[in-house]
């Protein structure tokens, strides 16, 4: 039944091509019918199924979807309706163009990074040392980056502070491996996931292949495009008081699940729907970030977040120094940054 099932929280990615794909009344009717069937059979929040289905039926009867002639506009509006009634930001459609749908049916899946550039190098796309000896890591997505982290944290290990850029990171795989590098050598309970048929608990890793980044400040950059497991990463570390979050509130999607096939068009292009199959409870807050997002500790516009975090890191490094010449140098670097 599942086309793709995430182990934890999937990234919200809409593939290109839906803008050009036309859609007819029979297509729309079949899509709505299958959407309601999938929710009735699989959706974790059972009390939301009836009001969602009734709302879609009412919209259809009143002709609210009649004017949409493209897959992209139709699914965008229906997704917005699903999210609004269910209060679930993960309810999204995924469109796969015909040539990719045919290719995936015939053999191994195309590398995800070729379809969604955020997943190039499994999402770890930048390591740098900024002026003032401040480390910078760009995480565009949470792919299978476990094997990349030892080298990454070895490279950043001697910096005096660290900035991790999560802006536009739509999530992906579980984030606890990255969290483990920022927390003590222990097994720290982060979240519990309650599925319909089981319960999973996620912890930090006791044993790592690379050095931990401890006793130094860490700044996370976020915006409204920070979503799903990227939010979980920020939420976990904020609850543990390990980071300072700089930027904007995140997107507010916390429900694990997977994508399921909804409809195949005549040209073999395919439409899938992400269906939430569980809910998350954080070990400390006993809640999660669904619908509200992770709130920044220092609120600035997304485009100003890196500059602000860099300045905060330089202030910290200057403040811990006793040598006035070194303090003055940090202040000079900060002027250039600002």
């Amino acid at each position: 039944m599942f086309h793709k099932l995430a182990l934890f929280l999937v990234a919200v990615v809409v593939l290109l091509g839906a803008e050009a794909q036309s859609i007819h009344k029979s297509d729309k009717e079949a899509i709505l019918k299958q959407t309601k069937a999938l929710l009735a059979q699989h959706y974790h929040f059972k009390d939301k199924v009836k009001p969602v289905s009734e709302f879609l039926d009412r919209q259809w009867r009143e002709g609210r979807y009649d004017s949409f002639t493209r897959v992209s506009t139709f699914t965008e509006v229906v997704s917005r309706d699903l999210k609004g009634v269910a209060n679930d930001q993960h309810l999204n459609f995924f469109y796969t163009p015909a040539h990719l749908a045919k290719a995936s049916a015939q053999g191994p899946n195309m590398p995800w990074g070729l379809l969604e550039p955020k997943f190039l190098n499994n999402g770890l796309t930048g390591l740098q040392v900024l002026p003032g000896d401040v480390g910078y890591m760009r995480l565009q997505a949470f792919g299978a980056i476990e094997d990349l982290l030892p080298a990454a944290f070895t490279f950043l290990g001697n910096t005096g502070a660290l900035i991790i850029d999560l802006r536009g990171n739509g999530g992906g795989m579980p984030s606890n491996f990255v969290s483990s590098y920022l927390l003590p050598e222990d097994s720290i309970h982060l979240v519990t996931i309650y599925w319909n048929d089981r319960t999973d608990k996620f912890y930090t890793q006791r044993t790592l292949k690379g050095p931990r980044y401890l006793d130094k400040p860490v700044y996370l950059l976020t915006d409204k495009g920070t979503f799903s497991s990227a939010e979980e990463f920020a939420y976990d570390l904020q609850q543990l008081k390990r980071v300072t979050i700089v930027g904007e509130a995140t997107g507010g999607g916390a429900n694990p699940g997977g994508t399921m096939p909804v409809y195949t068009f005549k040209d073999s292009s395919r439409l899938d729907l992400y269906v939430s199959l569980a809910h998350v409870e954080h070990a400390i807050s006993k809640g999660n970030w669904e619908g509200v997002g992770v709130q920044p500790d220092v609120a600035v516009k997304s485009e100003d977040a890196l500059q602000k975090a860099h300045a905060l890191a330089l202030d910290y490094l200057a403040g811990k120094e006793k040598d006035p010449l070194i303090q003055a140098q940090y202040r000079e670097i900060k002027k250039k940054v600002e």
Side-chain angles (χ1 to χ4, degrees):
M1 189 65 193
F2 296 96
H3 178 63
K4 290 187 295 231
L5 177 60
L7 293 177
F8 191 45
L9 304 172
V10 301
V12 176
V13 180
V14 180
L15 300 182
L16 298 176
E19 297 87 351
Q21 175 69 51
S22 60
I23 191 169
H24 304 286
K25 181 177 181 180
S26 59
D27 299 320
K28 291 185 279 190
E29 191 169 19
I31 289 168
L32 292 177
K33 180 179 179 181
Q34 179 64 2
T35 295
K36 292 185 294 182
L38 288 176
L39 293 176
Q41 184 175 359
H42 298 287
Y43 193 48
H44 179 69
F45 304 97
K46 299 301 182 184
D47 60 321
K48 303 290 183 65
V49 173
K50 183 177 180 180
V52 167
S53 296
E54 290 177 346
F55 184 85
L56 294 179
D57 288 340
R58 187 164 60 253
Q59 293 289 88
W60 180 257
R61 288 195 305 269
E62 295 175 359
R64 301 296 175 88
Y65 302 135
D66 290 353
S67 63
F68 304 118
T69 60
R70 300 293 174 188
V71 170
S72 58
T73 51
F74 173 68
T75 54
E76 180 181 349
V77 172
V78 176
S79 289
R80 187 167 64 239
D81 289 343
L82 293 172
K83 294 174 187 176
V85 178
N87 191 28
D88 185 343
Q89 298 302 306
H90 265 101
L91 290 171
N92 285 283
F93 288 100
F94 293 72
Y95 176 79
T96 304
H99 68 287
L100 295 178
K102 292 176 182 177
S104 65
Q106 293 173 358
N109 289 333
M110 183 177 293
W112 189 229
L114 298 182
L115 299 176
E116 173 47 64
K118 288 183 179 181
F119 279 87
L120 288 170
N121 201 40
N122 285 306
L124 178 56
T125 56
L127 294 174
Q128 188 178 354
V129 179
L130 303 176
D133 206 22
V134 176
Y136 174 83
M137 176 185 290
R138 177 67 171 125
L139 281 175
Q140 292 189 152
F142 278 95
I145 59 175
E146 180 182 354
D147 291 339
L148 302 176
L149 294 176
F153 280 96
T154 298
F155 175 78
L156 296 168
N158 290 325
T159 58
L162 175 61
I163 297 170
I164 300 179
D165 194 344
L166 301 173
R167 291 175 296 179
N169 184 323
M173 298 293 287
S175 61
N176 59 318
F177 274 104
V178 187
S179 299
S180 300
Y181 279 87
L182 304 174
L183 295 167
E185 187 175 339
D186 196 359
S187 184
I188 301 172
H189 183 201
L190 299 174
V191 296
T192 302
I193 304 179
Y194 295 94
W195 307 83
N196 289 335
D197 58 352
R198 71 180 194 277
T199 298
D200 293 333
K201 293 186 177 182
F202 283 78
Y203 296 83
T204 56
Q205 305 297 305
R206 287 185 182 274
T207 304
L208 300 174
K209 296 180 181 179
R212 296 176 190 265
Y213 196 91
L214 303 175
D215 304 319
K216 302 174 185 178
V218 177
Y219 304 88
L220 303 185
L221 311 185
T222 63
D223 61 11
K224 62 183 179 181
T226 309
F227 195 73
S228 199
S229 61
E231 295 181 272
E232 188 261 334
F233 177 68
Y235 190 90
D236 288 344
L237 294 171
Q238 187 182 59
Q239 290 293 315
L240 291 165
K241 303 186 187 304
R242 177 63 184 95
V243 297
T244 299
I245 299 178
V246 181
E248 301 171 347
T250 62
N255 299 326
T259 56
M260 304 180 184
V262 173
Y263 190 66
T264 300
F265 293 90
K266 291 181 179 179
D267 67 349
S268 297
S269 60
R270 189 183 67 242
L271 192 68
D272 299 318
L273 175 69
Y274 180 98
V275 178
S276 300
L277 304 174
H279 72 275
V280 175
E281 180 182 277
H282 194 270
I284 295 175
S285 71
K286 304 304 180 183
N288 61 46
W289 56 96
E290 180 65 44
V292 295
V294 182
Q295 303 304 309
D297 300 301
V298 180
V300 296
K301 292 181 180 180
S302 176
E303 58 267 28
D304 298 328
L306 176 55
Q307 181 187 58
K308 182 63 176 179
H310 194 180
L312 290 172
L314 292 170
D315 281 340
Y316 165 82
L317 293 172
K320 67 186 286 289
E321 277 294 340
K322 296 181 179 180
D323 188 324
L325 291 177
I326 298 178
Q327 289 179 344
Q329 184 61 24
Y330 278 123
R331 288 195 292 269
E332 187 64 27
I333 295 171
K334 181 184 175 183
K335 287 180 182 179
K336 294 179 181 178
V337 168
E338 294 180 328

